[in-house]
Amino acid sequence: MNAKGGIGLVIFGVTGDLAHRKLVPALYQLGLAGQLPENFHIIGFARRDWRDEKLRSEMGAAVREHARMQPVDEQALQHVLKRMHYLASNFTERSGYGELAKMLDKLDVKNRLYYLATPPDAYSDIIGNLGKAELGNSPGGWTRIIVEKPYGHDLESAKELEAEIHQVFEEEQIYRIDHYLGKETVQNILVFRFANGIFEPLWNRRYVDCVQITVAETIGVDGRTEYFDSAGVIRDMLQNHILQLLTLTAMEAPVAFHADAVRDEKVKVLRSLHPLRGEDALSNTLRAQYSSGSQNGEKIRAYLDHEGVAKDSITETLLAMRLGIDNWRWAGVPFFIRSGKLLPKRMTEIAVQYKQTPLALFGARNMAGDAPNRLLLNIQPEEGITLTFGAKAPGPENTIQSVKMDFSYAETFGASSPEAYERLLMDCMNGDATLFTRSDEVLAAWSFVDDVLKAWAHQPKKKLPQYKPGTWGPPEIDDFMHGHGSVWHKFD
């Protein structure tokens, strides 16, 4: 990578989990691939009383544990570690930002990238102090800031954060990160749709019966109860990750594959979402909580039994939702969302269900189900694409069975796919904002979600349906789909 003037990456909250598990291992992988400039420095900014040696020791251990490619190349690792520096300061102390300015000048890096790997309640202090220290711009280079989710708690707080960050940074300097957009299969949605003439003509209301987006986790909320009980699935997953997947699935072809053109089309989808207000929001959503039970031989506490969770909490650990898109392409096609904790398997998938043909006209015995044509985009853990269709089973009878065609990234391309943070960090350093969310995109997503939250608050439930760990939800989740004339896609 050729970056004139070098790059200084400042990680606020470097002692936290995100830096250990994702950011520094990603930087190691980029260094191993020769994608970091020679004059590249990492400055850790956090409250703990560490020194450079302690930071390097901790991050070396983090890379050895979490790096994508094992075993670790020690020479390449040391090359990254020796570029690490530590600055101990509270995020509220203005003096710490003065020291940061001096360090950046001493390291002679003209290009500066700030990464907010902190809890969201620290964002305002960091952004404000960067502005007071005149670190919002760098003479002779560029300055950018990466902001992690959650970006606000509701529409009003998102607007407040927008106002604060724009007092210091211009919109083109702000990179709102959603790591789902760094996954290979997510990026491939657009290529798959718009580079293949056999699929794009069928990607509309004339042929598609419904679209189902599932984001399932096998973990509970241990260690995150304080955050999660105020967020729930709707804020933790739907407002960001899931709506991003929906926009890429439903958007029109951009005029070009560059940042603003792609994001223009994503915003159009968000603005076309059929509003869910009042009774509409209640009838098109289903919330549930996991109860006590066991999973993989481990005893699980009920959500309401976690320390820090109110006994009368109605925060959902599972959410199902039916959405509609009011535009020419998708009018009348339901988009079903399902996301939750402690489900049977960890996976993220987009299922495009095609309409059934009149098979009875052929006098065939249909063993392929209600709709044999289904396109599955597998986002994680194994990235790939599966197409199911009906085929005649061997024998004298006309019996139609469902068969599959599979594409696996790992099998086709051999080496493991780059981690999302590798791609996103590199894009940010290169100034490519295509895979980052824009201001109007964030506010449009919150505008939709805010309507649902208000409807829930206006008619609160006393208790949510309960489901056992390791199941796909309570019986009500199937009733929810039946009420909308559909069934959930079943996983192997």
Side-chain angles (χ1 to χ4, degrees):
M1 178 182 177
N2 181 23
K4 187 177 180 181
I7 296 177
L9 169 60
V10 182
I11 302 177
F12 291 95
V14 73
T15 58
D17 192 52
L18 178 62
H20 279 75
R21 291 189 305 108
K22 297 295 183 181
L23 300 184
V24 176
L27 291 167
Y28 157 75
Q29 294 290 168
L30 293 175
L32 182 66
Q35 294 181 299
L36 297 177
E38 189 58 36
N39 186 22
F40 180 81
H41 294 274
I42 303 162
I43 300 170
F45 190 118
R47 291 171 288 212
R48 293 186 189 178
D49 187 22
W50 286 8
R51 298 292 182 270
D52 290 0
E53 293 74 18
K54 175 66 171 176
L55 176 67
R56 292 167 183 170
S57 173
E58 289 285 333
M59 294 307 156
V63 170
R64 294 183 188 98
E65 181 178 358
H66 298 293
R68 172 171 56 88
M69 298 177 67
Q70 298 284 353
V72 165
D73 184 317
E74 285 295 329
Q75 184 175 354
L77 175 58
Q78 293 304 320
H79 191 61
V80 173
L81 294 178
K82 73 179 183 180
R83 303 169 185 220
M84 291 187 176
H85 317 272
Y86 189 75
L87 200 163
S89 173
N90 283 321
F91 302 134
T92 56
E93 293 177 2
R94 289 188 61 180
S95 60
Y97 297 83
E99 291 300 314
L100 175 60
K102 292 177 184 177
M103 185 177 289
L104 289 167
D105 288 339
K106 182 179 178 181
L107 295 172
D108 193 30
V109 284
K110 304 299 183 186
N111 305 300
R112 287 123 186 229
L113 176 57
Y114 307 120
Y115 200 118
L116 304 191
T118 68
D121 58 12
Y123 291 174
S124 293
D125 288 327
I126 296 170
I127 292 164
N129 281 313
L130 286 171
K132 291 170 185 173
E134 298 183 350
L135 288 169
N137 287 288
S138 172
W142 50 255
T143 301
R144 296 170 189 145
I145 184 168
I146 298 179
V147 187
E148 275 279 349
K149 77 150 185 114
Y151 200 89
H153 187 73
D154 53 21
L155 180 59
E156 192 58 37
S157 60
K159 287 180 177 178
E160 290 172 1
L161 180 56
E162 281 292 279
E164 291 172 354
I165 200 168
H166 281 105
Q167 287 180 353
V168 181
F169 300 96
E170 300 295 330
E171 177 61 27
E172 59 267 20
Q173 294 177 279
I174 305 167
Y175 288 69
R176 301 169 191 82
I177 197 168
D178 185 331
H179 71 270
Y180 265 50
L181 297 184
K183 295 180 180 294
E184 286 290 337
T185 312
V186 174
Q187 299 165 42
N188 197 48
I189 293 173
L190 298 186
V191 175
F192 179 82
R193 285 186 56 193
F194 300 125
N196 293 291
I198 62 173
F199 292 109
E200 177 54 23
L202 309 179
W203 209 270
N204 56 60
R205 60 188 172 88
R206 294 183 63 188
Y207 301 99
V208 175
D209 180 69
C210 72
V211 178
Q212 297 184 23
I213 300 177
T214 300
V215 179
E217 297 180 283
T218 55
I219 59 173
V221 297
D222 292 300
R224 300 179 70 220
T225 52
E226 184 178 350
Y227 158 72
F228 191 86
D229 201 47
S230 66
V233 175
I234 192 169
R235 291 183 173 96
D236 188 48
M237 298 298 294
L238 176 77
Q239 187 274 332
N240 37 75
H241 299 330
I242 295 175
L243 288 184
Q244 287 295 319
L245 296 178
L246 183 145
T247 58
L248 292 173
T249 304
M251 64 182 272
E252 299 295 329
V255 295
F257 280 98
H258 60 68
D260 277 337
V262 171
R263 295 189 293 183
D264 285 346
E265 298 303 329
K266 289 166 66 183
V267 170
K268 289 178 185 177
V269 174
L270 292 172
R271 290 175 176 166
S272 299
L273 289 175
H274 184 77
L276 293 182
R277 302 184 180 119
E279 288 296 331
D280 247 6
L282 300 178
S283 62
N284 285 284
T285 59
L286 173 77
R287 292 169 284 164
Q289 292 172 338
Y290 62 79
S291 62
S292 60
S294 63
Q295 188 174 39
N296 299 324
E298 179 185 353
K299 288 187 176 180
I300 304 294
R301 289 181 293 169
Y303 177 73
L304 294 177
D305 292 338
H306 283 278
E307 186 178 346
V309 175
K311 295 303 179 185
D312 59 351
S313 172
I314 54 170
T315 297
E316 75 286 352
T317 63
L318 181 145
L319 173 66
M321 180 180 286
R322 180 188 186 276
L323 299 86
I325 301 176
D326 295 336
N327 64 17
W328 191 262
R329 181 185 289 264
W330 296 112
V333 177
F335 282 69
F336 294 103
I337 306 299
R338 171 175 51 170
S339 180
K341 301 282 188 183
L342 288 173
L343 299 183
K345 61 191 296 187
R346 172 181 171 267
M347 49 86 66
T348 299
E349 177 191 88
I350 301 168
V352 180
Q353 188 84 46
Y354 286 93
K355 292 180 178 178
Q356 177 67 289
T357 57
L359 291 174
L361 294 179
F362 299 101
R365 192 157 59 96
N366 177 23
M367 303 294 289
D370 291 335
N373 299 135
R374 182 185 295 118
L375 182 67
L376 303 178
L377 303 174
N378 307 301
I379 309 300
Q380 66 176 14
E382 296 179 2
E383 297 181 306
I385 299 171
T386 301
L387 177 65
T388 65
F389 56 94
K392 181 185 178 300
E397 294 184 4
N398 284 334
T399 302
I400 299 172
Q401 289 191 351
S402 184
V403 296
K404 297 180 180 180
M405 294 178 65
D406 285 314
F407 157 67
S408 164
Y409 268 86
E411 291 180 8
T412 302
F413 298 114
S416 62
S417 300
E419 283 285 337
Y421 281 95
E422 295 171 40
R423 169 66 187 269
L424 295 172
L425 283 168
M426 183 54 57
D427 280 359
C428 189
M429 288 186 275
N430 287 329
D432 184 352
T434 305
L435 300 179
F436 297 82
T437 51
R438 201 169 59 190
S439 175
D440 54 350
E441 195 175 343
V442 170
L443 297 181
W446 269 123
S447 181
F448 172 78
V449 169
D450 239 29
D451 285 339
V452 179
L453 292 170
K454 288 175 181 175
W456 289 354
H458 185 66
Q459 296 189 45
K461 292 178 176 289
K462 292 185 177 181
K463 185 177 176 63
L464 298 184
Q466 304 289 296
Y467 64 96
K468 288 289 186 181
T471 67
W472 285 107
E476 289 90 339
I477 197 167
D478 290 323
D479 297 338
F480 174 82
M481 286 294 275
H482 295 156
H484 291 294
S486 193
V487 294
W488 292 111
H489 167 228
K490 291 181 170 54
F491 303 104
D492 295 334

